[in-house]
Amino acid sequence: MQKFDKLSGIAAPMPLVNIDTDMIIPKVFLKTIKRSGLGVNLFDEMRYDRQGNELPDFVLNQPAYREASILVAGDNFGCGSSREHAPWAIADFGIRCVISTSFADIFYNNCFKNGILPIVLPEDQRDVLMKDAEKGANARIEVDLEAQTVTSSDGETFTFDLDPFKKHCLMNGLDDIGLTMEKSAAIDAFEGQVSAQRPWV
Amino acid sequence: MSPKTLYDKIWDAHVAHEAEDGTCLLYIDRHLVHEVTSPQAFEGLRMAGRKVRAPEKTIAVPDHNVPTTLDRANAETMTEDSRIQVDALDKNAKEFGIHYYPVSDVRQGIVHIVGPEQGWTLPGMTVVCGDSHTATHGAFGALAHGIGTSEVEHVLATQTLIQKKSKNMKVEITGHLRPGVTAKDITMSVIGETGTAGGTGYVIEYCGTAIQDLSMEGRMTVCNMAIEGGARAGLIAPDQKTFDYCKGRPHAPKGAEWEAAQAWWETLYSDDDAHWDKVVTLKGEDIAPSVTWGTSPEDVLPITATVPSPDSFQGGKVEAAQRSIDYMGLSAGQKLTDIEIDTVFIGSCTNGRIEDLRAAAEILKGKKVKDGMRAMVVPGSGLVRAQAEEEGLADIFKDAGFEWRMAGCSMCLAMNPDQLAEGERCASTSNRNFEGRQGYKGRTHLVSPAMAAAAAVTGKLTDVRDLM
């Protein structure tokens, strides 16, 4: 997994609340058996017309935001299904960080498996960054994972909370499965104990 | 011992390892797998030379992609990319030696209907699946939730999940439901009350007399939509109804093992003085037959209401409500019962069980689907389908003018040929009314099976109580 350390980039504003996983990556693109190549279909139904032409009003089609690496989003981003195709598409587009007041649980967890940092901020701070993002390509937002800070183009800095284990894995690009397998003795012992106590499992 | 919630008890019984910072390895008792979210996980195992750690606890069934037409045995009915996913599941199930119900098996169906039906899902278990509606299995007092594909791979390889504990939320439905009101109306009304993010960070336990009154099928409907309220999982404490449902199922314990299992299951309830981080209470008598008007499951109202004005909301929801109303082709102040529909879909992991079909058939008996409408019933599994045929329900549907389909996810998410065309409006017993969910620019109104049947008869969203 790609490591996450510091990020300085253009942020795209998406103030709509409850942006769901069907909006992020519509189901027609779930029929892949690969993880890559979904960036072109990110937000597909909001981004293109039925003939595949770009809709000029959509934020990621505007010249200032084509190279966005950060999304500043409305409340409850990523609600809906468990499809990891959503963070795959986001990462494949080149977005490494999403900032909102809240994220749906499964989407939030999925981000960390794919080198994406989801940042939760209070509404007023998110709104400052939303305004900043609306300025376009001249406004670069800085994210420092180690310091747990995000800084607007005007130099206003906010700190965010993050689970220390998730931070550690993201900073070092660690593979969860490898880490868990180091604890296989504990899993073996637990499995033995459970099969004695609850043999029907 | 300090008092515990049901969630606390199941959690404590499954922690295989706890790190100093509270990060746990939660042992997984049942892993359900379908064709859409698993191919990349199996591919990951192959690349790393890993095996499935507990194939005997891993159960796979194709459901999202499969056509539901009667001629589906003919490979031509599936698109190339769908067939690739289903073939990949066939191959992976064989290669890794996991339990498998192929499309040709009468037991095939929606994974969340097959699991309980076959006795894989039992009280006190941890159950995961790469699908958000895994919450369904919480109806048995099992801790069940959806996971992403990376986590699917993690569970396949280690039979554990890296987890931190969620908070405890109690949703109590007091009293009893009135006639015409169902489990679907309970679960939609709760989301209307709490919002789609109201459960974020929590595991919900549903309790109260109106919940106890429900059958296992109804309880599955309630827990199924816990995810639409943002919760990690929904739970209902097991009771005699739960035990009766499980007993005799193919993979349920038998004999002395059953006795031991039930003895443990009977300890699975929240202690009287357990701590709750959040409590929501609704009166069963206050819940009405409900319907969604917008494009979020929180956009729910009693059928007797009118489409709200966006100005009646606050913050970002004002813009979202306006967008929903535009997308849905409605206008503020319009009576919900004046909304004309052209499609009815009865099915899905929310409402594709035998009781759901009985409720819809009860309304349809001796009536006809309104001219020009498309109406389809998609049983949740091959066994539900067979039982409905035996009970004569299939004939009622067919006589009324419904299409009688084979089992699968169907129009709930339109990854298969069952889709809405642009602008079509559907009364649907599924779980999500998101933009494009049932087909590009399709419009979804979520309702109970009885309400869907009523809408099929009148061609409009209808208060089912008027037809009872």
Side-chain angles (χ1 to χ4, degrees), chain B residues 341-466:
Chain B
I341 53 161
D342 38 48
T343 309
V344 170
F345 169 65
I346 297 177
S348 84
C349 59
T350 314
N351 281 130
R353 284 169 286 269
I354 190 70
E355 186 186 270
D356 301 313
L357 304 195
R358 285 182 194 140
E362 184 63 31
I363 299 297
L364 289 169
K365 208 180 277 179
K367 299 192 181 75
K368 293 278 181 207
V369 170
K370 191 163 188 252
D371 276 351
M373 298 231 332
R374 173 165 65 144
M376 64 162 88
V377 187
V378 184
S381 72
L383 293 180
V384 169
R385 187 172 195 275
Q387 190 178 347
E389 288 182 342
E390 206 177 292
E391 292 183 16
L393 308 179
D395 291 332
I396 295 175
F397 286 118
K398 286 189 270 189
D399 290 347
F402 270 80
E403 295 174 46
W404 179 243
R405 296 295 193 100
M406 305 291 278
C409 295
S410 186
M411 203 188 269
C412 175
L413 86 168
M415 276 194 74
N416 43 69
D418 307 341
Q419 307 196 6
L420 292 182
E422 201 167 328
E424 277 186 335
R425 187 184 297 282
C426 181
S428 176
T429 67
S430 54
N431 41 58
R432 287 196 177 124
N433 51 345
F434 294 160
E435 291 180 17
R437 173 77 179 182
Q438 295 192 291
Y440 181 76
K441 300 279 185 204
R443 293 160 171 167
T444 304
H445 295 277
L446 301 177
V447 289
S448 73
M451 287 280 284
V457 171
T458 63
K460 293 191 289 187
L461 294 178
T462 298
D463 190 335
V464 65
R465 294 170 294 194
D466 296 342

Side-chain angles (χ1 to χ4, degrees), chain A residues 27 31 84 163 180 191, chain B residues 27 85 150 154 164 415 436:
Chain A
K27 70 253 154 207
K31 296 191 182 188
E84 201 160 315
D163 176 76
T180 298
E191 210 164 42
Chain B
Y27 191 81
Q85 280 194 333
S150 294
H154 191 279
K164 275 214 169 150
M415 276 194 74

